[in-house]
Amino acid sequence: MKKVFALLFMLVGIVSVLAACGSSDKSEGDSKEKIIIGIDDKFAPLGFRDDKNEIVGFDIDLAKAAAKEMGTEVEFQPIDWSTKESELASGRIDLIWNGYTITDERKEKVLFTKPYLENAQVIVTLKDSKLTKLTDLEGKKIGIQAQSSALDAFNESDMSKKVKNVSEFKDNVLALNDLKAKRVDAVVIDEVVIDYYMTQQKDTFKIMDESLAPEQYGVGIKKGNEELQTKLQDALDKMNEDGTAEEISNKWFGESKVLK
């Protein structure tokens, strides 16, 4: 009987050791080998799918370079942009990095890196539209990506109370498609995004001279994870110093737009 108990005790010990080994990667927290980044995969030129269905873009290249600097691997996880903060808080992703505008409201939910890119919210119409200024939007139908800084900026403007209605879309591509189909009269969108689309479709859209709020992009990190925030910021700072960030900007924008 004693031998039986001894054997059982040994088996329990072996199982415990194996379990501990199997969970060691998860207990390392910020030092894990892979960082999961939540993105909107229809947000060109920052993060989108190319003709081969591969995820590419300015933010994608910047994130890959930062991960290399940090000595870790990176995985890009397309998410529903309207649930991005929930995805981060739940731990399903480690970073929000895809044209993520820094706002006071978002600062209450997530940590941010320093801003790395400037942007503005602009109004886009069809090229043959008679709409030329913000006051022309009175009584018109507006399209905007749901849960976006574009929606926040528009809601804070006086014109939000004067338009006919606002249609919210899952992504900017759907909003622009409705504009082309004339189901909406104008779309509020990130300037860097529409600039890219206008290089692809020169005779389709035009941008109103008046813009809404200027803004800056940052990377969102889960509250309480200051260690990852520091490591990432150090990597971004080094990439600014050695010219890596500028090189990536030149690739996607034809000029240096990164903030230092």
Side-chain angles (χ1 to χ4, degrees), residues 62-121:
L62 201 65
K64 287 179 178 178
K68 183 178 180 180
E69 186 66 39
M70 295 166 66
T72 185
E73 295 182 2
V74 64
E75 178 181 328
F76 299 98
Q77 178 62 53
I79 59 173
D80 183 340
W81 200 245
S82 65
T83 64
K84 53 192 174 298
E85 285 87 8
S86 297
E87 293 282 336
L88 185 65
S90 69
R92 287 189 287 270
I93 60 175
D94 301 302
L95 301 173
I96 303 173
W97 194 342
N98 199 193
Y100 190 41
T101 302
I102 301 172
T103 68
D104 290 338
E105 181 181 358
R106 288 174 176 173
K107 285 180 180 179
E108 296 178 1
K109 302 176 184 177
V110 305
L111 298 174
F112 275 102
T113 60
K114 292 186 293 188
Y116 65 89
L117 196 67
E118 287 187 327
N119 182 49
Q121 296 301 329

Side-chain angles (χ1 to χ4, degrees), residues 158-195:
D158 295 335
M159 190 50 60
S160 64
K161 303 176 181 64
K162 299 177 182 179
V163 299
K164 183 176 182 180
N165 59 55
V166 175
S167 297
E168 296 184 26
F169 297 86
K170 185 178 180 180
D171 56 61
N172 285 311
V173 174
L174 293 175
L176 292 174
N177 284 341
D178 261 34
L179 176 59
K180 287 189 285 187
K182 299 185 178 181
R183 286 187 287 267
V184 296
D185 300 299
V187 168
V188 184
I189 191 171
D190 295 66
E191 185 175 31
V192 294
V193 174
I194 195 57
D195 281 350

Side-chain angles (χ1 to χ4, degrees), residues 230-255:
T230 299
K231 288 180 179 179
L232 177 56
Q233 188 59 62
D234 288 345
L236 292 173
D237 289 344
K238 186 170 182 180
M239 288 161 57
N240 276 330
E241 293 170 4
D242 65 17
T244 300
E246 184 175 355
E247 182 179 342
I248 295 171
S249 179
N250 286 329
K251 171 186 174 180
W252 287 102
F253 303 122
E255 61 180 317

Side-chain angles (χ1 to χ4, degrees), residues 2-16:
K2 289 182 179 179
K3 291 182 179 180
V4 172
F5 279 117
L7 181 59
L8 288 173
F9 182 78
M10 289 175 62
L11 288 173
V12 170
I14 292 172
V15 170
S16 298

Side-chain angles (χ1 to χ4, degrees), residues 23 123 144 149 153 239:
S23 62
I123 313 295
I144 308 180
S149 57
M239 288 161 57

Side-chain angles (χ1 to χ4, degrees), residues 56-69:
V56 297
F58 169 76
D59 276 349
I60 305 303
D61 286 352
L62 201 65
K64 287 179 178 178
K68 183 178 180 180
E69 186 66 39

